[in-house]
Amino acid sequence: MKKQGRGMATIMFGFGYGEGFPDHSIASVEIEDSGKILIRTAAADVGQGVLTVITQIAAEVLKVKPEIIRIIPGDTHLTKSSGSTSATRQTFFTGNAVKEASEGLLSNIYHYASIEFRSNHVELEIKDGYIFRNDNPNYRLSYWELADKVKERGDSLKAEASFFPHTDKPDPKTGQGEKLYVAYTFVTQIVDVEVDTDTGVVEILNVYTAADIGKAINPKNVEGQIEGGTVQGIGMALMEEQVIKEGITLNPNLTGYLIPTSMDTPRFVTRLVENEDSEGPFGAKGIGEPATIATTPAIANAIYDAIGVRIYHLPITPEKILKALKEKRKNK
Amino acid sequence: MKKMPKRYVGKNIFKVDAQDKVTGKAQYSDDIYFDDMLYLKIKRATYPHAYLRRIDISKAQKIPGVVKIITAADIPEVKNFGLIIKDQPVLIGIGRKMRYMGDALAIVIAESKEIASKAVKLIEVEVEKLEVISDPLRAMEKDAPLIHQDSNILATHYLEKGDVKKGFTQADVIVENEYKTSFLDQVPLQIEAGIGVFDPETEIIKLWAATQWLHDTQADVAQSLGLPKEKIRIIQPVIGGAFGKKEDISVHIHLALAAIATKRPVKFSYTREESMIAQSKRHPFIIQMKTGVTKKGYLTACQVEVIGDTGAYASSGLAVVHKGMYHCTGPYNVDNVKGVAHTVYTNNTYCGAMRGFGATQMAFAYESQMDILSHKLEIDPVQFRLQNAYNHGSSTPNGQILTHSVGVKETIKEAADMTGWKEGR
Amino acid sequence: MSKLTIGFIINGQKKIIETTPFTRLLDLIRDDLHLTGTKEGCGKGECGACTVIMNGELVASCLILALQADGAVITTIEGIGSGGHLDPIQKAFVETGAVQCGFCTPGMILAAKKLLEENPYPTEEEIKRGISGNLCRCTGYQKIFDAIKLAANRLSTRDGGRGEKDA
Ligand code: FES
Ligand code: FES
C-alpha cells in the first residue's frame, strides 16, 4: 500500500570558521589595460558560483556591465589568500572583500577624476564606466582613459581590501563565547513523501523550502544551491552509506554507493526570505551548507507521518522500513 | 529601511564560467597535458592497521617504462601533513604503521598509466597485523591499542549553558533517543587529479590540482617538503565539485615529490575507488540526545553526547564534531544546554569536511526530537517550532546573542504558507 | 604491446590513429585527441560523464574499446558547438542555471541531444528518464530539466513545430 506523509524541519547554521580562528579574505580590483576590470582573488569556485557573485558585486559598485569584469584564475603566486571555499563563507567573506576593494577603486576614480576635471567630488557623476562633470556630460573620461592619466602621475587605478571579522574562541569548559560565528543562516523545509509499505521504497514528492539568506546576490543560483543541497540530503536520508567493515570499504564505487539520480528529484517550491539585515555584502548570507541540512530530518519526519515508524539510524533504507513496520505490527 | 534598486545584485546573471563548461573548453586538472609527461600511481596499505615490515620494489622496478619508485626511505626529511594536526604521513616507512587502507606505501612513476598500475601490483609488502579498530566505542575502551601515540580520543569538547538539571525539572515531558548517521562520500563528480612540474631554473614546483583553499594547501605542501612557501606554486584549474572532499591534501605532495625526483611533468589521477577509500568521508555520529519541554510546548533543556568517528587521521575532524554539538538545539531558545563531544580515531577511512560540517548530522537528531515532542504534546509542529524559534536577541547554545538577520520565524511561516499547512494536516 | 591502426570520423573530422587492443575509447578521445570535454567520473559505466554519441547511440566511452570505434562516426561535446556557435541545448544550459561545477555537463548535453532527437517534445517524466544514466552531484537535476525543456521549446519553434515562443 502507498501511504503519503508530510514532515518538516527547521535548521540553523553558523557560518565562517568562527571560534576565533583567523578567518579572512583578500581581494583586489584594478583597471586593466585590456578594457577590462580585473579582480584578483584565490576564492575557489567549486561550481557554487562565487565568481559570478563577485562579478555582480564589482559590476554593481563600479557601475559597469558584468562582461567588463575579469577574474584571474586562482594562483598562489598571483593572488592573496581568500581562505577556503567551505564553511559557507565565500559570498560573505570574498563578497565583502571584493565589495570593499571595488569601493576603494571607485574612491580612487573619483579622487583622480576630480584632479583631471578640477572639480570637487559632488560635481562628478559616473555612468557605464565613464566619469564626467554634471555640468558637462559631453566631456567625459572612461575608467581606462583615466587610468592612463593616473599612470602618468606615477600611480595606478587599483585597490585591495580584506574582510576580517572578529570571532571569539569559545571557553574550553563551556563552549560559551560572545561571537562564535559571523552569522547564521536559517532554513525551513517541508517535505511530502510516499512510502510503499510493501517494498519499503520512499518517494520524495514535494520539497517546499524557505531560506533566510539575507539577500540573494543571484536568486537563480541560490535556488540551484538549495535544489542541489536538497537532493544530497535525499541521498543521506534514503540511500547513501559508505560501508566500512573492519577498516575495509565494501562499496567503493557508484554501483555499491548510490547517489540520487534524476529519477529521485522531487518537485521543488522555493522562497527566499530576504531581510537584507546581515553584515554580508548587500545584506547577503551564505547558503552552501544550510541548503542540505534540513532535508534529511524533514524526510525522516515525513516517513513517520506516513507510516508511524521512526528510524533512528541513517540511511532509511527499504529494509529498515520493512523491518520497522513488521515490528510495529507485532507490537500491536 | 528602503534599499536602492540594484542593477546587477539580486539579478539572475548567467554564471560567468558556464559558457566554457557547456562547450567542454573548461580545463579541469586532468585535462591538462604536457609533452613528455609521466604518470603516477600509489601503492597503498595492504591492511587497515599494521606495521610495515618489508617493502620490495625490485620486481616492479624491472618493468620497462617504470621511471622511478619512491619509498619512505628515499625521503627521510619529508614531514607529516594535515589540516589541523599534522598526523598524516606522506609515505609509510619500514617499522611504521599503516592506519587505514588509504595510507601510501610507495609512489610509482612510469611512462604510462598502465605501466604504473602494473608496477604497483608487483610491489611486495610484508606487514605485522594489529587489531583493527573499526568501532569508535571499541577505540574508546581503556585496553584498546593506540592508533597514534596518544589516546584514541583525539579531542573532547564541552558545552554548558544555564543549568540542565534545573531545566529538566522544569520539563513536563522529556524524550531521550540515540541517533546514528553513516559514513558518506561527498562524491564530487570530478575525481582527484593533478599535474606537477619542477622548474629547474627557479626551483619552483608548479602544481595544477584542485583545492578548496589554495594558500593553505600550498602551506601544507611546503611544510611537508621543508620548502619555503613560495617554492610551491599551485594553479587552480576548474574544479569539478568538492563538497568538502577537496579540502584535504590528495595528489599534491606525491606529485611534488615525483616532479622533483624525475624533473619531468607528472600526472596523477585517482580512480573513483581510490577516491572513496583514500579521501575524506562525512563523520558518522552517534548522538545521544535528551530534550525537555513544558506542557505548553516550551523547550527547557537539551543534553547531548556526541561520538564522531574521525577514522585514521584528524583532518578537520576536531572542528566538525564539536561544531555539530554547538548546533544541538537547532534554531530554538533553550536556556539550559549541556553537551560533550568526542572525536575518536579508528582504522576507518579518515573523515573530514562535508557540506554542513557536523551540523548536518546534528539536525537529524534535534529535528527528529522536535517532531517526537510535537506528537507527544499534540501541538502542531509549525506552531511548536514558531513558539520556540529564535528572535533578535536570542542566545545560541554558545551564548552568542543574535543581533542581525534572524529570519528563522519567517522561514517557518513561509514554508507553512507554501503548503497551505493548516489544511495540509 | 601490439599497435593497431583504426579510422573513424569524430566531430566531422576523419582520423586515422594508432592504438592498442586495450585502449579505452575514452583514453583515445582524451589522451590522443585531447578532446578533453569528455570526462571520466568513474571508469565503470556508472556516471555518464564520459558519454559520447557513437553511430547515433549514446555510449559510455569508458566501457568501449578504441578498436570498437573503427569505422564509426562519433560526436563529443566539442562537436556540438563551441565559442560563438552554441547549440540551443548548450545555450539553454547556460541560461537556466543548469551548470554548476560543469563536470557532468558535457555528458548531460549529449544525453539531452539524443533525447530531443528522438523525442522533440518530451514531458518532464521523459526528460528524467532520458538523462537518468548521467549523474550530477551539484544541481539536484531540476535546472537541467528546465534547460532541456527550454531547448525543446526553442528547437520546435524553429522547426515550425508546436513549441512556445522563446522564453
Ligand atoms: S566515466 Fe564512463 S560512465 Fe563514468
Ligand atoms: S554540475 Fe557538478 S556534477 Fe553536475
Side-chain angles (χ1 to χ4, degrees):
Chain A
M1 205 182 1
K2 294 206 172 175
K3 291 197 160 176
Q4 296 202 347
R6 173 171 280 183
M8 78 179 291
T10 302
I11 63 94
M12 68 165 172
F13 186 75
F15 62 83
Y17 309 152
E19 305 183 21
F21 280 105
D23 190 0
H24 61 275
S25 177
I26 310 171
S28 72
V29 181
E30 61 203 80
I31 302 294
E32 255 196 326
D33 291 343
S34 60
K36 297 257 176 179
I37 295 174
L38 179 72
I39 301 179
R40 287 176 196 268
T41 169
D45 198 319
V46 295
Q48 87 282 29
V50 62
L51 300 184
T52 307
V53 162
I54 59 177
T55 297
Q56 289 178 248
I57 290 172
E60 187 71 46
V61 173
L62 291 165
K63 304 178 206 293
V64 294
K65 290 206 174 69
E67 297 84 73
I68 304 294
I69 309 289
R70 189 172 83 88
I71 304 169
I72 205 165
D75 183 329
T76 49
H77 285 46
L78 300 176
T79 61
K80 291 185 184 169
S81 175
S82 302
S84 71
T85 289
S86 69
T88 303
R89 60 183 285 291
Q90 286 295 10
T91 292
F92 201 87
F93 281 75
T94 300
N96 264 335
V98 166
K99 180 161 183 276
E100 219 168 281
S102 303
E103 286 161 355
L105 175 58
L106 195 66
S107 305
N108 270 310
I109 289 169
Y110 272 106
H111 173 77
Y112 282 108
S114 77
I115 297 172
E116 292 302 327
F117 290 116
R118 301 182 186 186
S119 66
N120 66 29
H121 292 199
V122 290
E123 290 168 326
L124 293 171
E125 196 166 317
I126 281 181
K127 223 178 151 197
D128 295 326
Y130 286 91
I131 188 158
F132 48 87
R133 268 177 75 132
N134 276 323
D135 56 8
N136 184 11
N138 291 330
Y139 175 48
R140 54 181 203 168
L141 284 174
S142 77
Y143 291 172
W144 294 269
E145 290 161 344
L146 182 64
D148 286 339
K149 295 192 185 290
V150 173
K151 217 180 268 167
E152 285 163 23
R153 295 179 189 276
D155 199 356
S156 63
L157 277 185
K158 71 168 168 202
E160 180 180 286
S162 72
F163 181 66
F164 201 156
H166 168 84
T167 57
D168 294 305
K169 260 197 183 22
D171 180 305
K173 288 204 199 78
T174 63
Q176 301 298 295
E178 213 168 284
K179 187 166 192 180
L180 260 279
Y181 301 106
V182 292
Y184 287 82
T185 293
F186 303 97
V187 177
T188 295
Q189 282 192 323
I190 295 175
V191 174
D192 293 334
V193 302
E194 186 172 85
V195 186
D196 185 326
T197 55
D198 299 320
T199 61
V201 170
V202 178
E203 192 183 342
I204 312 296
L205 305 174
N206 306 304
V207 176
Y208 303 90
T209 308
D212 164 23
I213 40 83
K215 164 84 188 166
I217 305 291
N218 187 316
K220 197 186 277 286
N221 293 350
V222 170
E223 235 177 71
Q225 285 296 300
I226 290 170
E227 291 166 1
T230 298
V231 171
Q232 287 186 359
I234 292 173
M236 173 166 172
L238 299 180
M239 62 191 91
E240 291 187 36
E241 178 177 17
Q242 193 93 71
V243 184
I244 307 181
K245 286 261 142 57
E246 291 303 300
I248 306 290
T249 303
L250 301 183
N251 56 347
N253 49 60
L254 296 170
T255 309
Y257 185 95
L258 295 180
I259 65 169
T261 73
S262 55
M263 302 306 289
D264 298 304
T265 300
R267 192 174 72 90
F268 290 107
V269 189
T270 301
R271 271 189 211 167
L272 304 180
V273 173
E274 300 187 88
N275 45 43
E276 302 190 26
D277 176 34
S278 118
E279 289 156 335
F282 300 97
K285 299 193 281 192
I287 186 62
E289 292 171 276
T292 200
I293 299 176
T295 310
T296 303
I299 290 172
N301 294 342
I303 291 172
Y304 180 82
D305 186 46
I307 56 172
V309 303
R310 190 170 291 280
I311 310 292
Y312 297 89
H313 189 169
L314 297 175
I316 307 172
T317 57
E319 299 76 54
K320 285 184 195 165
I321 287 181
L322 291 179
K323 199 169 147 226
L325 280 172
K326 212 164 150 194
E327 263 157 38
K328 189 181 157 211
R329 263 179 246 125
K330 241 194 303 185
N331 294 340
K332 254 191 189 158
Chain B
M1 191 171 42
K2 200 96 193 105
K3 302 273 168 167
M4 281 285 288
K6 314 236 165 26
R7 278 218 283 180
Y8 304 115
V9 162
K11 302 286 154 51
N12 294 323
I13 307 289
F14 301 154
K15 281 235 166 101
V16 295
D17 48 359
Q19 170 110 358
D20 279 354
K21 288 174 174 174
V22 297
T23 52
K25 229 181 84 189
Q27 271 204 330
Y28 301 79
S29 35
D30 202 29
D31 300 340
I32 300 167
Y33 288 82
F34 284 91
D35 294 336
D36 206 25
M37 192 169 74
L38 297 169
Y39 291 87
L40 188 161
K41 288 277 174 194
I42 294 288
K43 168 74 181 175
R44 296 197 186 264
T46 55
Y47 198 73
H49 196 198
Y51 285 107
L52 178 63
R53 288 304 175 206
R54 197 177 70 94
I55 182 161
D56 184 353
I57 58 171
S58 56
K59 280 193 195 132
Q61 242 164 350
K62 282 194 199 106
I63 302 186
V66 170
V67 175
K68 178 105 195 150
I69 298 179
I70 303 172
T71 65
D74 303 314
I75 50 160
E77 69 292 349
V78 169
K79 293 195 212 51
N80 285 355
F81 65 95
L83 292 185
I84 300 178
I85 307 178
K86 308 289 176 206
D87 63 351
Q88 206 163 347
V90 173
L91 286 173
I92 309 293
I94 304 288
R96 296 297 169 116
K97 263 203 314 192
M98 48 197 90
R99 299 184 178 89
Y100 84 118
M101 292 303 283
D103 268 328
L105 310 185
I107 301 170
V108 177
I109 309 146
E111 297 287 348
S112 76
K113 293 180 237 183
E114 294 74 25
I115 297 171
S117 300
K118 208 160 139 199
V120 161
K121 290 199 190 99
L122 292 176
I123 294 178
E124 288 169 8
V125 170
E126 271 172 34
V127 303
E128 179 188 330
K129 293 181 180 176
L130 299 165
E131 179 189 333
V132 175
I133 303 174
S134 210
D135 178 356
L137 297 179
R138 168 66 186 140
M140 290 169 83
E141 284 171 1
K142 286 252 148 39
D143 69 329
L146 294 182
I147 293 168
H148 291 266
Q149 252 109 22
D150 301 323
S151 166
N152 289 337
I153 302 175
L154 167 63
T156 300
H157 288 88
Y158 301 94
L159 182 63
E160 187 157 11
K161 178 179 152 185
D163 178 351
V164 272
K165 255 207 201 118
K166 202 178 93 207
F168 283 118
T169 48
Q170 289 164 353
D172 297 306
V173 178
I174 295 172
V175 296
E176 182 168 4
N177 288 298
E178 185 180 87
Y179 298 89
K180 286 185 180 179
T181 68
S182 297
F183 288 102
L184 299 186
D185 194 284
Q186 301 86 342
V187 196
L189 206 59
Q190 178 205 21
I191 311 170
E192 292 80 357
I195 298 195
V197 175
F198 179 77
D199 179 350
E201 234 161 78
T202 58
E203 296 190 327
I204 288 177
I205 300 151
K206 273 197 204 171
L207 295 171
W208 284 262
T211 158
Q212 289 173 238
W213 41 3
L214 207 53
H215 293 85
D216 294 84
T217 299
Q218 176 198 28
D220 208 4
V221 174
Q223 72 77 29
S224 171
L225 299 178
L227 293 173
K229 233 182 138 177
E230 58 273 18
K231 291 291 171 196
I232 305 294
R233 177 170 183 183
I234 307 182
I235 300 159
Q236 189 80 277
V238 178
I239 302 173
F243 314 112
K245 204 176 185 80
K246 288 167 183 162
E247 265 186 45
D248 297 278
I249 296 273
S250 59
V251 297
H252 310 79
I253 300 174
H254 293 144
L255 273 176
L257 286 168
I260 296 170
T262 62
K263 309 280 187 292
R264 281 171 65 182
V266 184
K267 182 184 264 195
F268 182 17
S269 315
Y270 279 22
T271 61
R272 176 62 69 186
E273 178 171 355
E274 201 171 16
S275 168
M276 282 185 150
I277 292 171
Q279 289 301 126
S280 78
K281 313 245 80 80
R282 188 193 283 287
H283 290 75
F285 275 16
I286 303 171
I287 303 168
Q288 189 73 31
M289 187 177 274
K290 184 172 161 187
T291 314
V293 64
T294 64
K295 270 198 300 270
K296 292 207 167 129
Y298 288 94
L299 296 166
T300 59
C302 172
Q303 188 162 1
V304 67
E305 185 182 346
V306 187
I307 296 170
D309 177 354
T310 205
Y313 297 104
S315 177
S316 47
L318 307 122
V320 171
V321 180
H322 81 260
K323 184 162 186 180
M325 172 176 71
Y326 285 176
H327 284 69
C328 66
T329 62
Y332 307 114
N333 293 300
V334 186
D335 288 340
N336 308 294
V337 183
K338 191 167 177 160
V340 57
H342 305 288
T343 309
V344 181
Y345 281 130
T346 63
N347 294 119
N348 298 321
T349 297
Y350 77 87
C351 295
M354 181 172 173
R355 207 172 194 174
F357 214 74
T360 309
Q361 293 92 316
M362 188 54 65
F364 173 54
Y366 68 72
E367 279 302 280
S368 294
Q369 293 283 92
M370 289 298 282
D371 202 55
I372 294 166
L373 287 169
S374 82
H375 279 101
K376 280 220 152 105
L377 295 165
E378 295 179 4
I379 299 184
D380 177 76
V382 169
Q383 176 53 35
F384 183 41
R385 284 174 174 81
L386 272 178
Q387 72 186 39
N388 285 289
Y390 288 156
N391 286 313
H392 271 261
S394 285
S395 142
T396 69
N398 303 98
Q400 176 171 349
I401 307 294
L402 299 174
T403 52
H404 284 279
S405 193
V406 191
V408 55
K409 284 192 175 163
E410 283 71 26
T411 70
I412 298 172
K413 288 182 201 151
E414 290 288 334
D417 180 57
M418 275 186 265
T419 59
W421 180 267
K422 290 231 168 57
E423 312 97 79
R425 283 189 75 86
Chain C
M1 229 178 295
S2 54
K3 295 266 176 194
L4 297 155
T5 304
I6 60 168
F8 51 88
I9 293 171
I10 188 160
N11 302 332
Q13 283 190 323
K14 221 172 145 173
K15 297 271 174 195
I16 303 210
I17 200 163
E18 243 186 25
T19 185
T20 79
F22 311 107
T23 305
R24 304 177 301 172
L25 178 58
L26 175 62
D27 296 324
L28 182 92
I29 291 171
R30 291 178 50 84
D31 297 347
D32 297 330
L33 303 175
H34 293 305
L35 295 170
T36 53
T38 307
K39 306 296 180 197
E40 175 162 1
C42 70
K44 291 189 170 166
E46 298 164 338
C47 75
C50 65
T51 303
V52 300
I53 297 175
M54 183 163 114
N55 296 333
E57 294 299 323
L58 283 184
V59 298
S61 62
C62 70
L63 290 184
I64 297 208
L65 291 174
L67 276 184
Q68 293 169 268
D70 196 17
V73 178
I74 298 169
T75 307
T76 68
I77 188 68
E78 289 87 352
I80 297 286
S82 61
H85 297 281
L86 292 192
D87 183 274
I89 300 174
Q90 290 172 312
K91 239 177 122 218
F93 267 66
V94 173
E95 292 173 17
T96 54
V99 181
Q100 287 192 26
C101 84
F103 207 76
C104 70
T105 307
M108 281 290 180
I109 288 174
L110 287 163
K113 179 106 187 146
K114 170 81 174 143
L115 171 71
L116 294 184
E117 265 166 27
E118 280 175 3
N119 179 1
Y121 314 111
T123 62
E124 179 139 330
E125 209 39 46
E126 288 164 342
I127 294 175
K128 281 190 177 188
R129 220 167 286 282
I131 60 164
S132 62
N134 293 67
L135 295 177
C136 173
R137 188 58 156 172
C138 299
T139 63
Y141 303 99
Q142 183 59 51
K143 303 255 179 284
I144 296 176
F145 306 156
D146 297 347
I148 297 173
K149 269 183 270 175
L150 176 62
N153 267 333
R154 286 184 179 162
L155 283 164
S156 55
T157 311
R158 188 197 288 170
D159 300 343
R162 58 153 215 212
E164 298 156 22
K165 279 264 160 60
D166 271 16

